Amino acid sequence: MKAAVTSLAALAHENRLAAFRLLVQAGPSGLAAGELARRLEILPNTLSASLTVLSHAGLVGSRREGRSIIYTAHYDAMSALLAFLMEDCCAGSPEICAPLADMLSRSACCADDLVKA
């Protein structure tokens, strides 16, 4: 539960949530910090602070490529958070969560992994 609270706290800010969503969309190749800042239209130092919080929560990672720092989403952490949020769902009534399961199964990315998590 502590990891879920940490992840949710990290995502509970407009810039951090937007950055994380862009990194999820970017896939495993990730995005350079400068490109991420341009797309989000925020200052690099503001982005850096946001990425630090997301990194400490285990939601993103980084690697150096030449002069750039490339950030990527940690899909396993995202899947774990979603699984935690869904583990007690439905109270014995699967139809409650059916719309979410249907949405995930139609998703263009990662649907099988998220449903299994």
Side-chain angles (χ1 to χ4, degrees):
M1 176 150 31
K2 185 175 181 172
V5 170
T6 301
S7 293
L8 290 169
L11 294 170
H13 183 276
E14 184 177 354
N15 287 341
R16 294 191 301 257
L17 181 58
F20 183 71
R21 288 176 53 97
L22 273 179
L23 291 174
V24 167
Q25 292 169 12
S29 58
L31 286 172
E35 178 62 19
L36 196 52
R38 278 188 290 281
R39 289 189 190 185
L40 293 171
E41 298 179 350
I42 60 174
L43 296 172
N45 61 335
T46 301
L47 175 64
S48 179
S50 292
L51 291 170
T52 296
V53 172
L54 292 168
S55 178
H56 285 278
L59 293 169
V60 302
S62 63
R63 68 182 184 279
R64 181 169 288 282
E65 285 186 7
R67 293 179 24 197
S68 297
I69 299 176
I70 308 298
Y71 286 89
T72 56
H74 283 170
Y75 294 99
D76 55 342
M78 180 181 71
S79 294
L81 177 60
L82 291 172
F84 172 80
L85 292 171
M86 296 294 298
E87 74 184 22
D88 296 323
C89 182
C90 306
S93 302
E95 67 276 3
I96 295 171
C97 296
L100 179 59
D102 289 344
M103 180 190 68
L104 288 173
S105 69
R106 289 189 311 268
S107 175
C109 170
C110 315
D112 291 336
D113 292 335
L114 292 176
V115 172
K116 291 177 190 172

